[in-house]
Each structure stands twice: as C-alpha cells, then as structure tokens.
Amino acid sequence: MKHKFLLLGATSAIAHATARLWVQRGAALVLVGRDAVKLQQALQDLQVRAGPQAHLLHAIQADLEDVSRHAALIDEAWQRLGGLDGVLIAHGTLPDQTACDADVSLALAHLHTNGVSVVSLCAHIAQRMKTAQAGTLAVISSVAGDRGRQSNYLYGAAKGLVSLYLQGLRNRLYPHGVHVLTIKPGFVDTPMTAGIGPKGALWATPERVAADIVRAMDRNTDVLYTPGFWRFIMMVVRHIPERVFKRLRL
C-alpha cells in the first residue's frame, strides 16, 4: 500500500480532505502551503486524527509560485519521508475573468500560478520518480481545461496547459513505472468558490472529490472526472461545433 505522500497546496479544501483519508490509513505526509497559519491549523487537525501516528506528519511553509525553490522543496520532502509513494498537486487560484481581461499583468500572474508553476513542480517530481522507477503523481486540473468559455477562459487555458502536459508526461513516464493522474473536478463547494452561487445539483463536496482521488490513485487511473458525470457533460461540450459554440453565452 502507498503510504508516503506529499501534498502541495495542502491547505486547499480538496487537499485537506484527501489528507484526512490518507491519515486514516496511517500514512506519512508532508504538507506544503503558503499561509503559515492555515498550514499549522491543517497540520494540527491531522495530528489529532492521526493519534499515535502524529509523528509521521510534517509541514513546510513555502510559496509555490516561486519556481526557483521547487527543486530544493521536493528534495526536502523526499528526505523527510525517505522517498515518496505519491504526490498531490492542489494549489491554484480562481481568477476573475473580467479583471484579467482588463489587466494583462494580472492575467499573466494567474497563468503562472495555475499553469507554469504546476508544470515546474511536475518536472522536478518526474525526475525524482523516474530515477526511483516508482510513484504516482496526481495533479488537480479542471473540466474548464477541456474547452475555452468566455466566463473563465483564462483559468481554462492554464488548466488546459496542465492537462496536455500531464498527458505527455504520463506517456513519457509509463515505461519507468511512474503513474500520472490528471484530476478534472467540476464545480466544488470550497472557500475558493464561496462567491459563486447558488450551488446546484452539479456541485460536489471536497470530501466527495477527495474520495474519488484516493480511489483513482489506488487504481492507477489516468484521467479522473469527479464526480463522474462530468465526463459525459464535457464530452457533449467538446463536440459542439465551433460555429455554434461561439454564439453561446457560457
């Protein structure tokens, strides 16, 4: 059983719900987050749940947008646990499309956070896992990356970059015993989406998504739509002809 995990963006609701499930299995974890207060709160919550296994949990405060620190960060996590069975990359932002349309620098900053910094982390982790000839790299992308829509195409472009990068990385690492999982959640009720409403039948809880992630990593799934009905929704959306799609207000 996989039991040594690194969570990047560990204070996000989905990552924390996933960490709780791994703690129930007695896993050793390294949590990485930017906000020191939230990171400590997440660590303490997990330590209480871990009980006698609390010593297996560690936290590193780091700004994941600083790609110059990624190599050293992965090295530190690797050394703390003596190797990694799995990594979950869950950090990101949900940009305001209108604000990004009006401010190019803001748009580029969100592209860096949701796209470039994720690729940087993946590249460093891939080197480590390829050398070890083992491991699972799981990355939270989004259904938004399947097709650009006027309401969130900046976010979708970053996630599309991540999804396509992971597709190639999965192809490259498969012969080396390394599994790459692309996670595509739909609407998830988290603090990041608190300003979006009302929440309807298409929305999922972080706990539901976390359970799907753990199961997909156990089964070496390649691409996870969560909840599963999003696979069919996006299949329809992807197949709408462009001449029709451009007239829709989505």
Side-chain angles (χ1 to χ4, degrees):
M1 186 186 76
K2 300 180 178 69
H3 66 280
K4 295 187 287 189
F5 296 97
L6 167 64
L7 293 99
L8 297 156
T11 59
S12 77
I14 294 175
H16 191 64
T18 305
R20 285 181 175 182
L21 295 176
W22 280 333
V23 163
Q24 289 175 9
R25 296 180 173 188
L29 307 179
V30 172
L31 313 176
V32 177
R34 179 173 59 181
D35 188 313
V37 174
K38 290 182 179 179
L39 183 63
Q40 191 60 32
Q41 291 172 341
L43 177 64
Q44 290 174 349
D45 172 74
L46 294 171
Q47 286 174 329
V48 170
R49 295 171 186 275
Q53 304 299 315
H55 65 283
L56 298 176
L57 309 180
H58 310 270
I60 302 172
Q61 191 275 329
D63 181 358
L64 295 177
E65 295 188 26
D66 183 1
V67 297
S68 68
R69 286 199 58 198
H70 285 180
L73 178 63
I74 301 305
D75 285 346
E76 182 178 353
W78 202 277
Q79 290 168 8
R80 285 203 184 192
L81 296 185
L84 293 170
D85 296 313
V87 177
L88 174 62
I89 299 179
H91 80 286
T93 57
L94 185 60
D96 181 321
Q97 184 62 54
T98 302
C100 290
D101 290 342
D103 185 342
V104 174
S105 62
L106 180 63
L108 294 177
H110 282 293
L111 276 176
H112 178 85
T113 301
N114 292 304
V116 174
S117 70
V118 175
V119 168
S120 172
L121 287 167
C122 288
H124 288 293
I125 294 163
Q127 291 176 1
R128 279 284 194 172
M129 288 186 170
K130 181 182 176 183
T131 300
Q133 296 284 292
T136 297
L137 171 59
V139 184
I140 296 182
S141 182
S142 172
V143 296
D146 281 14
R147 190 156 194 182
R149 297 180 294 120
Q150 63 175 292
S151 60
N152 69 347
Y153 63 90
L154 193 287
Y155 180 71
K159 293 300 187 180
L161 182 158
V162 169
S163 293
L164 196 57
Y165 177 85
L166 294 175
Q167 190 176 52
L169 190 62
R170 180 163 42 247
N171 188 204
R172 172 192 157 204
L173 295 180
Y174 177 77
H176 302 284
V178 179
H179 177 240
V180 177
L181 168 63
T182 306
I183 304 162
K184 296 186 176 185
F187 301 129
V188 186
D189 191 1
T190 67
M192 192 166 75
T193 60
I196 302 175
K199 310 292 193 292
L202 295 180
W203 287 74
T205 64
E207 289 74 19
R208 166 68 187 278
V209 173
D212 285 347
I213 291 172
V214 171
R215 188 180 308 110
M217 293 180 73
D218 287 344
R219 295 177 177 176
N220 286 347
T221 301
D222 294 325
V223 179
L224 169 68
Y225 284 86
T226 173
F229 55 75
W230 279 101
R231 177 180 296 277
F232 303 101
I233 292 174
M234 297 315 299
M235 181 174 65
V236 172
V237 171
R238 287 196 307 272
H239 284 83
I240 297 174
E242 189 65 24
R243 64 181 181 279
V244 175
F245 196 82
K246 67 183 181 183
R247 291 179 169 82
L248 302 178
R249 297 183 62 81
L250 297 174

